[in-house]
Amino acid sequence: MKIGLFIPCYINAVYPEVGVASYKLLKHLGLDVDYPLDQTCCGQPMANAGFENESLKLALRMEELFQQYDYVVGPSASCVAFVKENHPGILKSGGHACLNSGKIYDICEFLHDIVKPEKLPAVFPHKVSIHNSCHGVRELHLSSPSEMNIPYFSKLRDLLKLVEGIEVLEPKRIDECCGFGGMFAVEEPEVSVCMGHDKVKDHMSTGAEFITGADNSCLMHMQGVIEREHLPIQTIHITQILAAGL
């Protein structure tokens, strides 16, 4: 299988180490991975702000860049979910079919459902609390939504169990929003910050040293609360844990 690595613009600009960890992890597992150059934004910020038509050119660009790959894999549940759920409608409005929506995966989803590794070389001797982001839970099904009467599962937890020395924990309100929500954090900053504070405190109640998850946007929001309030916990993207030591 030929994999095109999709690195969202904010990860490329602010958290390049997450992109590097994703590449190393996929290569270590023996996969044929390529990073298409000249990647741009997937168009989510424009669409979330009510200007979905301005996402069309970006969606077309992404279709062009990733057309040769069997899978498109990215370390951002939110951006992956946007491509999967929104690009078909955006491209249809411009008279184009969407091919990426049927082959794009968040990296955790891809590892858990497609690659299915039985072991990883990672060692991370720390207490880690899992953050289940809204898009990851309810659009990509990385874990079971708490409002549904179904047995609990967590693909992130399953992957973290492959890491030596780690202690995996989860907060009481297991999939409550952290308050980021893209444009919501800009338009309703007071509410967003209060939600972020509550979420960080919930993670801290587990005794964890780190908060981890599949969305750097959520982790970034909580890290802002942590730094502003000088709280004794840190955030780390799950790929950095799974690739620890590579």
Coordinates of all heavy atoms in Angstrom, one line a residue, residues 60-93:
L60 N -9.7 21.0 -3.9 CA -9.2 20.6 -5.2 C -7.7 20.3 -5.2 O -7.2 19.4 -5.7 CB -9.6 21.6 -6.2 CG -11.0 21.7 -6.7 CD1 -11.3 22.9 -7.5 CD2 -11.4 20.4 -7.5
R61 N -7.0 21.2 -4.5 CA -5.6 21.1 -4.4 C -5.2 19.8 -3.6 O -4.3 19.0 -4.0 CB -5.0 22.3 -3.6 CG -3.5 22.2 -3.4 CD -2.7 22.1 -4.7 NE -1.3 22.3 -4.4 CZ -0.3 21.8 -5.3 NH1 -0.7 21.3 -6.4 NH2 0.9 22.0 -5.0
M62 N -6.0 19.5 -2.6 CA -5.7 18.3 -1.8 C -6.0 17.0 -2.7 O -5.3 16.0 -2.6 CB -6.5 18.3 -0.5 CG -6.1 17.2 0.4 SD -6.7 17.4 2.1 CE -6.1 15.9 2.8
E63 N -7.1 17.1 -3.4 CA -7.4 15.9 -4.3 C -6.2 15.7 -5.3 O -5.9 14.5 -5.6 CB -8.7 16.2 -5.1 CG -9.9 16.1 -4.3 CD -10.3 14.7 -4.0 OE1 -10.3 13.9 -4.9 OE2 -10.6 14.4 -2.8
E64 N -5.7 16.7 -5.8 CA -4.6 16.6 -6.8 C -3.4 16.0 -6.2 O -2.7 15.2 -6.8 CB -4.3 18.0 -7.4 CG -3.1 18.1 -8.3 CD -2.8 19.5 -8.8 OE1 -3.6 20.4 -8.5 OE2 -1.7 19.7 -9.3
L65 N -3.0 16.5 -5.0 CA -1.8 16.1 -4.3 C -1.8 14.6 -3.9 O -0.8 13.9 -3.9 CB -1.5 17.0 -3.1 CG -0.9 18.3 -3.4 CD1 -0.8 19.1 -2.1 CD2 0.5 18.2 -4.0
F66 N -3.0 14.1 -3.5 CA -3.1 12.8 -2.9 C -3.8 11.7 -3.9 O -4.1 10.6 -3.4 CB -3.8 12.9 -1.6 CG -3.1 13.5 -0.5 CD1 -3.2 14.9 -0.2 CD2 -2.1 12.8 0.2 CE1 -2.5 15.5 0.8 CE2 -1.4 13.4 1.2 CZ -1.6 14.8 1.5
Q67 N -4.0 12.1 -5.1 CA -4.7 11.2 -6.0 C -4.0 9.8 -6.2 O -4.6 8.8 -6.5 CB -5.0 11.8 -7.3 CG -3.8 12.3 -8.1 CD -4.1 13.0 -9.4 OE1 -5.3 12.8 -9.9 NE2 -3.2 13.8 -10.0
Q68 N -2.6 9.8 -6.1 CA -1.8 8.6 -6.5 C -1.7 7.6 -5.3 O -1.2 6.5 -5.5 CB -0.4 9.1 -6.9 CG 0.4 9.7 -5.8 CD 1.7 10.1 -6.3 OE1 2.5 9.3 -6.6 NE2 2.0 11.4 -6.2
Y69 N -2.2 8.0 -4.1 CA -2.0 7.2 -3.0 C -3.2 6.3 -2.6 O -4.4 6.6 -2.9 CB -1.7 8.0 -1.7 CG -0.5 8.9 -2.0 CD1 -0.6 10.2 -2.2 CD2 0.8 8.3 -1.9 CE1 0.5 11.0 -2.5 CE2 1.9 9.1 -2.1 CZ 1.8 10.5 -2.4 OH 2.9 11.2 -2.6
D70 N -2.9 5.1 -2.1 CA -4.0 4.2 -1.6 C -4.7 4.7 -0.4 O -5.9 4.5 -0.2 CB -3.4 2.8 -1.4 CG -2.7 2.2 -2.6 OD1 -3.4 2.2 -3.7 OD2 -1.6 1.8 -2.5
Y71 N -3.9 5.3 0.5 CA -4.4 5.8 1.8 C -3.8 7.2 2.0 O -2.7 7.5 1.6 CB -4.0 4.9 3.0 CG -4.6 3.6 3.0 CD1 -3.9 2.5 2.5 CD2 -5.9 3.4 3.5 CE1 -4.5 1.2 2.5 CE2 -6.5 2.1 3.6 CZ -5.8 1.0 3.1 OH -6.4 -0.2 3.1
V72 N -4.6 8.1 2.6 CA -4.2 9.4 3.1 C -4.2 9.3 4.6 O -5.3 9.0 5.2 CB -5.0 10.5 2.6 CG1 -4.5 11.8 3.1 CG2 -5.1 10.5 1.0
V73 N -3.1 9.6 5.3 CA -3.1 9.4 6.8 C -2.6 10.7 7.4 O -1.5 11.2 6.9 CB -2.2 8.2 7.1 CG1 -2.1 8.1 8.7 CG2 -2.7 6.9 6.5
G74 N -3.2 11.2 8.4 CA -2.8 12.4 9.1 C -3.0 12.4 10.6 O -3.9 11.7 11.1
P75 N -2.1 13.1 11.3 CA -2.2 13.1 12.8 C -3.0 14.3 13.3 O -2.6 15.1 14.1 CB -0.7 13.4 13.1 CG -0.2 14.2 12.0 CD -0.9 13.8 10.8
S76 N -4.3 14.3 12.8 CA -5.2 15.3 13.3 C -6.6 14.9 13.0 O -7.1 14.9 11.9 CB -5.0 16.7 12.6 OG -6.0 17.6 13.0
A77 N -7.3 14.4 14.1 CA -8.7 13.9 13.9 C -9.6 14.9 13.3 O -10.5 14.6 12.5 CB -9.2 13.3 15.2
S78 N -9.4 16.2 13.8 CA -10.3 17.2 13.3 C -10.2 17.5 11.8 O -11.2 17.6 11.1 CB -10.0 18.5 14.1 OG -10.8 19.6 13.6
C79 N -9.0 17.6 11.3 CA -8.7 17.9 9.9 C -9.1 16.7 9.0 O -9.7 16.9 8.0 CB -7.3 18.3 9.7 SG -6.8 19.8 10.5
V80 N -8.8 15.5 9.5 CA -9.2 14.3 8.8 C -10.7 14.2 8.7 O -11.2 13.9 7.6 CB -8.5 13.1 9.4 CG1 -9.2 11.8 8.9 CG2 -7.0 13.0 9.2
A81 N -11.4 14.5 9.8 CA -12.8 14.4 9.8 C -13.4 15.4 8.8 O -14.4 15.2 8.2 CB -13.4 14.6 11.2
F82 N -12.8 16.6 8.7 CA -13.3 17.6 7.8 C -13.2 17.2 6.4 O -14.1 17.3 5.6 CB -12.5 18.9 8.0 CG -13.0 20.0 7.1 CD1 -14.2 20.7 7.4 CD2 -12.3 20.4 6.0 CE1 -14.7 21.7 6.5 CE2 -12.8 21.4 5.1 CZ -14.0 22.0 5.4
V83 N -12.1 16.6 6.0 CA -11.9 16.1 4.7 C -12.9 15.0 4.4 O -13.6 14.9 3.3 CB -10.5 15.6 4.4 CG1 -10.3 14.9 3.1 CG2 -9.5 16.7 4.6
K84 N -13.0 14.1 5.3 CA -13.9 12.9 5.2 C -15.4 13.3 5.1 O -16.1 12.8 4.2 CB -13.7 12.0 6.3 CG -14.4 10.6 6.2 CD -14.0 9.7 7.4 CE -14.5 8.3 7.2 NZ -13.8 7.6 6.1
E85 N -15.8 14.2 5.9 CA -17.2 14.5 6.0 C -17.7 15.7 5.1 O -18.8 15.8 4.7 CB -17.6 14.8 7.5 CG -17.4 13.6 8.4 CD -18.3 12.4 8.1 OE1 -19.4 12.7 7.6 OE2 -17.8 11.3 8.3
N86 N -16.7 16.7 4.9 CA -17.1 17.9 4.3 C -16.6 18.1 2.9 O -17.3 18.8 2.0 CB -16.7 19.1 5.1 CG -17.4 19.2 6.5 OD1 -17.0 18.5 7.4 ND2 -18.4 20.0 6.6
H87 N -15.5 17.6 2.6 CA -15.0 17.7 1.2 C -15.9 17.2 0.1 O -16.0 17.8 -1.0 CB -13.6 17.1 1.1 CG -12.5 18.0 1.4 ND1 -11.2 17.8 1.0 CD2 -12.4 19.1 2.2 CE1 -10.4 18.8 1.5 NE2 -11.1 19.6 2.2
P88 N -16.6 16.1 0.3 CA -17.5 15.6 -0.7 C -18.5 16.7 -1.1 O -18.8 16.9 -2.3 CB -18.2 14.4 -0.1 CG -17.2 13.8 0.8 CD -16.5 15.1 1.4
G89 N -19.2 17.3 -0.2 CA -20.2 18.3 -0.5 C -19.5 19.6 -1.1 O -20.1 20.2 -2.0
I90 N -18.4 20.0 -0.6 CA -17.7 21.2 -1.1 C -17.3 20.9 -2.6 O -17.5 21.8 -3.4 CB -16.5 21.5 -0.3 CG1 -16.9 21.9 1.1 CG2 -15.6 22.5 -0.9 CD1 -15.7 22.0 2.1
L91 N -16.7 19.8 -2.9 CA -16.3 19.5 -4.2 C -17.5 19.3 -5.2 O -17.5 19.7 -6.3 CB -15.4 18.2 -4.2 CG -14.0 18.5 -3.7 CD1 -13.3 17.2 -3.4 CD2 -13.2 19.3 -4.6
K92 N -18.6 18.7 -4.7 CA -19.8 18.5 -5.5 C -20.3 19.8 -5.9 O -20.8 20.0 -7.1 CB -20.8 17.7 -4.7 CG -22.1 17.4 -5.5 CD -23.0 16.6 -4.7 CE -24.3 16.3 -5.5 NZ -25.3 15.5 -4.7
S93 N -20.3 20.9 -5.1 CA -20.8 22.2 -5.4 C -20.0 22.8 -6.6 O -20.4 23.7 -7.3 CB -20.7 23.1 -4.2 OG -19.4 23.4 -3.9

